[in-house]
Amino acid sequence: MNYTLNCRGQLLSLEEPQVMGILNVTPDSFYAGSRVQTEQEVVRRVHEVTQQGGRMIDVGACSTRPGSAPVSQQEEMARLRTALAVARREQPDAILSVDTFRPDVARMAVEEYGADIINDVGAPASAPDQASRIPMFRMVARLGVPYVLTSTKPDLRQTLLLFAEDVQRLRDMGQKDIVLDPGFGFGKTLEENFRLMDQLDRLLVMELPLLVGISRKSMIYKTLGVTPEEALAGTVALNTVALLKGASILRVHDVREAVDCCRMVTQCITKN
């Protein structure tokens, strides 16, 4: 399916899979290689993502790894303001996605820095405001930006039910562009993650683009008995599976390898 996302009036085609590079302005992300703290590191990372072929940069300022304690909204905003200002200055044409579960943070990112996409993984279990996504739904519908809806459900059936209900809510509020993320690593056991990956193509019944973010996650490094730093080959393998099952966006730490993966899978499908 030839999906498009309207990013500040620019139509981003997903006819061929796209790569979203991760930029974490946090000190505690599970993969140490993704942590960016200084302005110079942000500059280096935004250029690295675009030079290696990534169309999107996903900026996160509040870790959602299991067991993490979310920072305050004020601290999240402060971190994002620094990173988004640098990213806009250095790569003004890059599509900026902001990884947040807080509506006011989403508003700030879009209204002050022209963020193009809101990537909502949902509130971590320890957050006091995790009860409902309705305020975020209302916010993104008002802002008029593409929205990534993530599932924390453990299996295909519950994920489909959640997506069907929430997509209808978003549509009723006027939200146009919606991307679905099955949420690998969120609320799922190792076995449930792999079962959902095997069934990923069945989510295409929603007729919406799929984002897959499995880069260096525990479902890879625990299966292989390695560390996140040693999980690149496993990540490439599962990214290939995800593409063959219909993923439109790969959210990754290692952009060049993901771009090459997209090119090879696209070439294979086109030739056949």
Side-chain angles (χ1 to χ4, degrees):
M1 300 179 185
N2 184 14
Y3 304 109
T4 59
L5 300 178
N6 188 339
C7 302
R8 291 183 297 152
Q10 172 187 355
L11 290 182
L12 172 66
S13 173
L14 301 179
E15 184 174 11
E16 294 185 359
Q18 299 296 323
V19 172
M20 174 184 282
I22 298 168
L23 193 167
N24 283 324
V25 283
T26 57
D28 57 345
S29 299
F30 77 93
Y31 172 47
S34 72
R35 300 170 193 166
V36 173
Q37 296 294 291
T38 68
E39 180 173 335
Q40 292 74 21
E41 289 172 332
V42 175
V43 170
R44 177 195 60 78
R45 180 57 176 165
V46 297
H47 285 294
E48 180 180 70
V49 171
T50 56
Q51 288 169 3
Q52 293 183 1
R55 293 291 305 278
M56 292 167 272
I57 301 172
D58 190 49
V59 186
C62 179
S63 178
T64 53
R65 65 176 175 81
S68 64
V71 298
S72 69
Q73 178 168 291
Q74 291 72 23
E75 176 64 21
E76 184 183 7
M77 283 184 173
R79 292 175 180 179
L80 282 173
R81 283 190 169 103
T82 298
L84 292 173
V86 173
R88 273 285 172 246
R89 183 189 73 216
E90 297 293 322
Q91 292 291 340
D93 296 327
I95 293 171
L96 296 184
S97 166
V98 172
D99 180 346
T100 185
F101 59 87
R102 291 171 166 139
D104 286 340
V105 175
R107 178 187 53 77
M108 178 276 294
V110 173
E111 293 182 351
E112 294 184 23
Y113 297 96
D116 301 285
I117 298 170
I118 296 301
N119 179 16
D120 178 12
V121 300
S126 56
D129 54 346
Q130 72 173 114
S132 174
R133 279 181 166 173
I134 300 302
M136 179 64 94
F137 290 178
R138 292 192 180 116
M139 181 61 73
V140 293
R142 181 172 74 81
L143 294 170
V145 295
Y147 176 64
V148 180
L149 172 66
T150 305
S151 169
T152 58
K153 299 300 183 181
D155 57 43
L156 177 70
R157 177 180 175 278
Q158 293 181 67
T159 296
L160 279 170
L161 288 173
L162 172 77
F163 281 158
E165 182 177 354
D166 283 350
V167 167
Q168 187 58 56
R169 284 175 175 163
L170 285 159
R171 294 294 192 211
D172 290 345
M173 294 176 188
Q175 179 64 21
K176 294 181 173 58
D177 289 335
I178 302 169
V179 178
L180 303 180
D181 180 349
F184 292 105
F186 293 95
K188 301 167 182 64
T189 65
L190 199 65
E191 293 75 16
E192 288 166 344
N193 278 312
F194 280 103
R195 190 175 303 118
L196 189 56
M197 178 64 77
D198 181 53
Q199 300 171 325
L200 185 67
D201 53 334
R202 295 175 65 179
L203 293 176
L204 296 173
V205 70
M206 296 295 300
E207 298 187 348
L208 290 170
L210 301 180
L211 181 152
V212 169
I214 45 85
S215 182
R216 298 181 182 266
K217 285 188 174 179
S218 62
M219 66 182 291
I220 299 170
Y221 65 77
K222 287 183 178 179
T223 298
L224 298 177
V226 299
T227 65
E229 287 72 22
E230 300 168 309
L232 176 56
T235 297
V236 172
L238 280 194
N239 277 340
T240 302
V241 173
L243 291 170
L244 291 172
K245 288 185 173 290
S248 294
I249 302 171
L250 297 179
R251 180 181 179 274
V252 301
H253 301 97
D254 307 281
V255 174
R256 177 178 288 114
E257 290 81 356
V259 168
D260 288 348
C261 188
C262 289
R263 290 179 62 189
M264 297 306 295
V265 170
T266 300
Q267 182 76 1
C268 179
I269 293 173
T270 302
K271 291 299 182 183
N272 290 324

